[in-house]
Amino acid sequence: MCQEVRRTCSCGQKDATFHLRDNVMGQEVVDRLFCPSCSSEQVLDQETMVNDNGWVIEYDMDIARMFAITKLTMNPAHVTPEFIFDQGYATWREMYPGETADIVDERDKIIAMKDSNPKEYLTAINSWAVERIKRLKEAGWRKAQLA
């Protein structure tokens, strides 16, 4: 089972939900969140922060390293913000914040075909998924780059 954590950005305008893979890291690892509006005011600290298309996540690296030592039995020197995010230990629940709301209409139109034309539905849903990931990669989202 994996834990979900919701954080509001520093300016209070947006929020994001995080997925904590295999419950390795605790929710306190996600220290602060900055949306594209408030992240421009932050200096990116490579030691504690990761930038994903204008969204900046600041991790509590002391706690993250403690979890990595105790639960992953790994060298704490290898634990970086990029490792935490890219390996899914504290990353977006979605491909990017707000994705679920953004894709509702597109997905619903395709799902409506399921009963009337199952073959067309399968073709459409597969094509849509491939094209969507391609668009997200081109837009620079980190999770899409790894997909």
Side-chain angles (χ1 to χ4, degrees):
M1 184 183 300
C2 299
Q3 184 179 7
E4 276 188 12
V5 175
R6 181 173 294 275
R7 290 284 188 269
T8 301
C9 69
S10 181
C11 69
Q13 298 297 313
K14 297 184 181 179
D15 60 275
T17 305
F18 292 84
H19 167 83
L20 303 179
R21 175 181 159 195
D22 300 329
N23 290 323
V24 170
M25 304 279 169
Q27 65 180 343
E28 60 274 19
V29 167
V30 180
D31 194 18
R32 295 190 298 168
L33 175 66
F34 304 93
C35 72
S37 297
C38 60
S39 68
S40 61
E41 301 167 10
Q42 294 300 310
V43 174
L44 189 68
D45 179 355
Q46 301 285 332
E47 298 297 315
T48 62
M49 297 173 160
V50 67
N51 183 338
D52 187 23
N53 228 7
W55 286 82
V56 174
I57 305 163
E58 183 175 36
Y59 296 108
D60 185 319
M61 295 306 295
D62 291 331
I63 293 174
R65 289 186 178 106
M66 185 263 313
F67 281 123
I69 291 167
T70 58
K71 293 189 176 181
L72 297 173
T73 62
M74 67 180 286
N75 183 337
H78 296 222
V79 180
T80 64
E82 291 81 9
F83 171 81
I84 295 167
F85 185 91
D86 294 339
Q87 295 303 309
Y89 291 110
T91 191
W92 309 129
R93 185 194 63 168
E94 308 160 296
M95 291 295 263
Y96 64 89
E99 177 190 26
T100 301
D102 289 350
I103 65 173
V104 168
D105 290 339
E106 290 178 36
R107 189 188 66 222
D108 287 350
K109 287 177 187 173
I110 296 169
I111 290 174
M113 290 186 249
K114 186 170 75 172
D115 293 330
S116 63
N117 192 339
K119 189 174 181 179
E120 185 179 341
Y121 160 74
L122 288 175
T123 301
I125 198 81
N126 286 330
S127 296
W128 174 72
V130 169
E131 286 300 314
R132 189 174 65 78
I133 293 298
K134 182 181 173 189
R135 285 192 316 265
L136 295 176
K137 282 182 181 183
E138 290 170 358
W141 292 104
R142 292 182 75 95
K143 283 183 75 172
Q145 304 301 323
L146 301 171

